[in-house]
């Protein structure tokens, strides 16, 4: 069959205006934002690829559900629908609603963590790591080595290195491993998927040592697409059945509903262990809200219940994964050093290779983020030494493993012409790469510095 354009499997019923800007205006905005796009106003952005989190366009079904939201304090019908949807997906009997993913992380990891404890993951996301470190515990990343090779075309580069997992469990002692966290897809590891075979192996190792396995399931539907289409034996499974099979391997799930539940706010913690669930529920009620709404409105829970259905629709997932690959492959063809194959929700640029003249200490990723904004009004996110860099005892930078820039694609929001515009902006940036300059940090907070740090050009 001839190659056909991937059309968006939806029509647009409501539109939101984008205010056009010039490069001069954007230079002013970026200076005011101290060269940190997190500090820009969204009205100053043309194509916002900062995150795929909470930025989805909801469907007419979900918006209709908003009107049906039951705002009762206790036992709302919207909660019962959300709870049923989460139980069906995770198979976990105890579900705690939270206002977003990190609230679920905080509930669970503050209970399990503390000084002397370690968590082991295929790659901790920044809020996951921050919650763990905030409790006094340590977060250890054990991705497969292929994960670091940005142009190696292998299907499941998000996998956990099971040999390293076993070594870390033995080195720290199983009793000190608070949990193993399998993040699907592996967001900080390039949005790469995790295979079912790997998840099964991780689960078996956890069982062998009596260690708890938690699934960070925020992009589990996208991960299921890769399993169905790329892993032997899953061709005839539904996406939902694949996700359910993966959840069944774990002792619990945390999920930011702002990703694959296709909503603007929400999350949950789902557990099999009653005692642990009761401990977390106590903190939930103190900090988030009563146990049948967490931090959510009834209408939010209604939208989550519907989103968890829609996200597994084959036409949607096919469009979603193929349109992300479209951006990735076109950038690659234009000579941009992208991480390949494409992840599910985002395309990652290797900024060290894009700007080889900018040393890691001057944050090549931040330089690319700023250039994309200036030239194209495109907002993106650095995932490198700004986000994950640390200091040694002499104050010298310990860089992150990779200097990436993430182009995260909001779900059902942009059309192919927006994506083509992003590709054209990259083609322009390629032409005068040498003129880009690095940055130094002028201010930084102690945790999650990338959100509020201020920069100065070097
Ligand atoms: N886990 C993963 C893998 C995530 O990607 C995120 C959020 C969270 C947990 C926390 O969820 O934002 O609802 O509190 N990731 C967003 C991103 C922020 O841009 O990748 P949250």
């Amino acid at each position: 069959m001839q190659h056909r354009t991937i059309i968006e499997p939806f029509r647009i019923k409501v539109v939101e205006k984008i205010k056009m800007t010039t490069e001069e205006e954007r230079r002013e905005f970026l200076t005011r934002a101290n060269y940190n796009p997190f500090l820009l106003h969204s009205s100053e952005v043309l194509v916002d690829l900062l995150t795929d989190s909470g930025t989805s366009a909801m469907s007419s079904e979900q918006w209709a559900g908003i009107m049906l939201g039951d705002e009762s304090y206790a036992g709302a019908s919207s909660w019962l629908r959300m709870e049923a949807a989460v139980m069906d997906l995770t198979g976990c009997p105890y579900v705690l609603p939270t206002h977003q993913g990190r609230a679920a992380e905080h509930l669970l990891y503050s209970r399990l963590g503390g000084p002397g404890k370690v968590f082991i993951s295929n790659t901790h996301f920044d809020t996951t790591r921050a919650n763990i470190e905030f409790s006094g515990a340590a977060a250890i990343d054990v991705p497969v080595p292929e994960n670091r090779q940005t142009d190696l075309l292998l299907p499941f580069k998000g996998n956990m290195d099971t040999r390293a997992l076993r070594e870390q469990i033995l080195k720290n002692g199983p009793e000190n491993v608070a949990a193993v966290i399998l993040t699907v897809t592996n967001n900080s590891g390039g949005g790469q998927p995790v295979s079912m075979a790997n998840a099964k192996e991780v689960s078996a190792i956890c069982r062998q040592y009596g260690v708890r396995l938690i699934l960070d399931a925020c992009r589990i539907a996208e991960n299921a697409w890769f399993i169905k289409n790329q892993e032997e034996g899953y061709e005839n499974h539904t996406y939902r059945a694949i996700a359910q099979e993966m959840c069944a391997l774990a002792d619990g799930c945390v999920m930011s509903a702002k990703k694959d539940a296709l909503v603007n706010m929400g999350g949950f913690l789902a557990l099999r262990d009653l005692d642990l669930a009761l401990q977390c529920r106590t903190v939930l009620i103190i900090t988030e809200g009563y146990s049948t709404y967490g931090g959510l409105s009834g209408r939010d829970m209604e939208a989550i219940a519907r989103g968890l259905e829609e996200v597994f629709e084959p036409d949607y997932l096919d469009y979603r994964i193929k349109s992300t690959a479209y951006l990735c492959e076109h950038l690659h063809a234009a000579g941009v050093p992208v991480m390949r194959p494409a992840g599910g929700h985002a395309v990652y640029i290797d900024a060290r290779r894009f700007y080889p003249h900018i040393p890691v200490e001057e944050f090549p990723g931040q330089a690319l983020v700023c250039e994309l904004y200036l030239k194209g009004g495109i907002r993106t996110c650095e995932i490198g030494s700004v986000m994950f860099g640390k200091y040694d005892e002499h104050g010298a930078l310990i860089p992150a493993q990779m200097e990436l820039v993430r182009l995260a694609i909001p779900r059902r929001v942009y059309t192919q012409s927006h994506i083509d515009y992003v590709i054209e902006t990259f083609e322009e940036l390629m032409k005068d790469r040498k003129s880009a300059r690095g940055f130094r940090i002028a201010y930084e907070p102690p945790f999650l510095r990338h959100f509020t740090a201020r920069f100065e050009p070097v």
Side-chain angles (χ1 to χ4, degrees):
M1 202 180 91
Q2 250 190 323
H3 169 74
R4 290 246 184 111
T5 300
I6 312 155
I7 63 165
E8 290 79 10
F10 48 79
R11 298 186 293 186
I12 297 167
K13 199 194 279 280
V14 177
V15 295
E16 194 179 354
K17 190 170 74 181
I18 296 174
K19 188 177 167 296
M20 295 299 161
T21 52
T22 63
E23 191 172 331
E24 290 73 54
E25 287 169 326
R26 292 194 292 267
R27 194 168 292 282
E28 213 170 285
F29 300 146
L30 191 64
T31 310
R32 193 213 60 229
N34 293 289
Y35 303 94
N36 184 348
F38 276 104
L39 304 178
L40 288 168
H41 302 166
S42 63
S43 59
E44 296 160 352
V45 176
L46 298 184
V47 179
D48 204 345
L49 306 183
L50 187 62
T51 179
D52 64 319
S53 181
T55 52
S56 299
M58 291 207 296
S59 66
S60 48
E61 283 289 323
Q62 285 175 297
W63 279 110
I66 292 281
M67 286 308 292
L68 299 174
D70 176 353
E71 304 302 341
S72 304
Y73 192 93
S77 54
S78 300
W79 156 245
L80 296 175
R81 270 192 283 277
M82 172 177 163
E83 185 189 36
V86 175
M87 281 178 168
D88 181 68
L89 170 63
T90 63
C92 291
Y94 309 112
V95 182
L96 282 66
T98 60
H99 78 275
Q100 62 182 90
R102 70 197 68 181
E105 293 177 336
H106 179 67
L107 291 177
L108 184 61
Y109 302 149
S110 64
R111 292 313 78 213
L112 300 178
K117 298 283 183 184
V118 299
F119 290 79
I120 308 169
S121 175
N122 48 341
T123 312
H124 292 86
F125 183 65
D126 59 352
T127 59
T128 317
R129 174 175 287 280
N131 266 301
I132 288 167
E133 292 178 352
F134 195 67
S135 83
I140 302 166
D141 290 337
V142 290
V144 286
E146 309 82 274
N147 187 266
R148 310 284 189 221
Q149 286 167 267
T150 54
D151 50 7
L152 190 65
L153 286 174
L154 284 177
F156 291 104
K157 285 161 64 173
N159 283 354
M160 190 180 284
D161 182 338
T162 48
R163 222 178 64 186
L165 169 64
R166 209 183 275 279
E167 281 167 15
Q168 285 294 342
I169 293 175
L170 291 172
K171 187 175 144 204
N172 290 284
E175 67 285 4
N176 297 317
V177 181
V180 170
I181 304 170
L182 191 63
T183 303
V184 299
T185 56
N186 189 344
N187 185 12
S188 302
Q192 298 291 311
V194 174
S195 70
M196 190 69 83
N198 185 249
K200 282 183 179 165
E201 209 186 325
V202 168
S203 172
I205 293 170
C206 288
R207 269 204 307 278
Q208 182 190 344
Y209 294 105
V211 170
R212 196 178 278 107
L213 174 61
I214 301 296
L215 200 65
D216 181 333
C218 67
R219 298 182 181 86
I220 193 164
E222 291 171 2
N223 199 81
W225 185 94
F226 290 96
I227 291 176
K228 181 176 167 75
N229 292 283
Q230 297 181 353
E231 188 166 353
E232 223 180 293
Y234 289 92
E235 304 81 2
N236 299 319
H237 287 54
T238 63
Y239 293 118
R240 173 180 291 281
I242 292 169
Q244 287 166 327
E245 184 175 337
M246 194 167 257
C247 287
L249 298 169
D251 299 297
C253 296
V254 289
M255 180 165 180
S256 166
K258 299 170 74 173
K259 284 81 169 173
D260 271 355
L262 299 170
V263 294
N264 304 118
M265 194 52 71
F268 62 80
L269 168 62
L271 293 169
R272 296 185 202 285
D273 176 340
L274 173 61
D275 188 50
L276 183 60
L278 289 177
Q279 287 178 44
C280 293
R281 195 173 73 178
T282 302
V283 186
L284 173 79
I285 297 173
I286 295 170
T287 60
E288 287 274 300
Y290 184 60
S291 57
T292 64
Y293 70 87
L296 296 170
S297 302
R299 53 183 173 270
D300 296 329
M301 299 192 284
E302 196 69 47
I304 290 171
R306 289 163 191 243
L308 284 175
E309 292 290 323
E310 288 176 13
V311 77
F312 290 108
E313 283 168 12
D315 288 343
Y316 162 73
L317 271 181
D318 225 37
Y319 139 80
R320 171 72 177 158
I321 305 298
K322 287 180 180 166
S323 56
T324 304
Y326 173 92
L327 173 58
C328 183
E329 290 311 315
H330 280 74
L331 289 179
H332 173 68
V336 178
V338 285
M339 192 158 178
R340 292 169 79 223
H345 69 297
V347 173
Y348 296 69
I349 317 297
D350 186 341
R352 213 180 322 200
R353 281 168 57 207
F354 197 86
Y355 290 139
H357 63 288
I358 301 179
V360 168
E361 289 70 23
E362 294 176 9
F363 307 114
Q366 196 65 24
L368 179 54
V369 160
C370 289
E371 286 297 313
L372 278 166
Y373 177 69
L374 286 176
K375 289 281 164 0
I378 301 160
R379 180 155 70 167
T380 56
C381 181
E382 192 260 18
I383 302 196
S385 291
V386 172
M387 191 182 269
F388 289 122
K390 305 223 172 208
Y391 296 108
D392 69 13
E393 65 272 28
H394 310 294
L397 178 77
I398 307 169
Q401 296 261 8
M402 293 191 274
E403 303 298 327
L404 301 176
V405 167
R406 184 181 74 168
L407 280 55
I409 324 278
R411 294 169 181 77
R412 308 191 291 207
V413 170
Y414 293 114
T415 63
Q416 187 174 334
S417 69
H418 292 103
I419 297 301
D420 286 335
Y421 169 83
V422 173
I423 296 163
E424 289 160 13
T425 305
F426 265 99
E427 285 167 351
E428 270 178 51
L429 287 188
M430 291 287 288
K431 286 188 197 131
D432 74 328
R433 284 204 256 185
K434 296 243 161 47
S435 67
R437 289 153 63 201
F439 287 89
R440 74 173 72 87
I441 296 180
Y443 159 80
E444 61 181 299
F447 281 96
L448 298 172
R449 67 176 176 187
H450 54 286
F451 289 130
T452 51
R454 295 186 208 121
F455 298 89
E456 286 166 355
V458 171

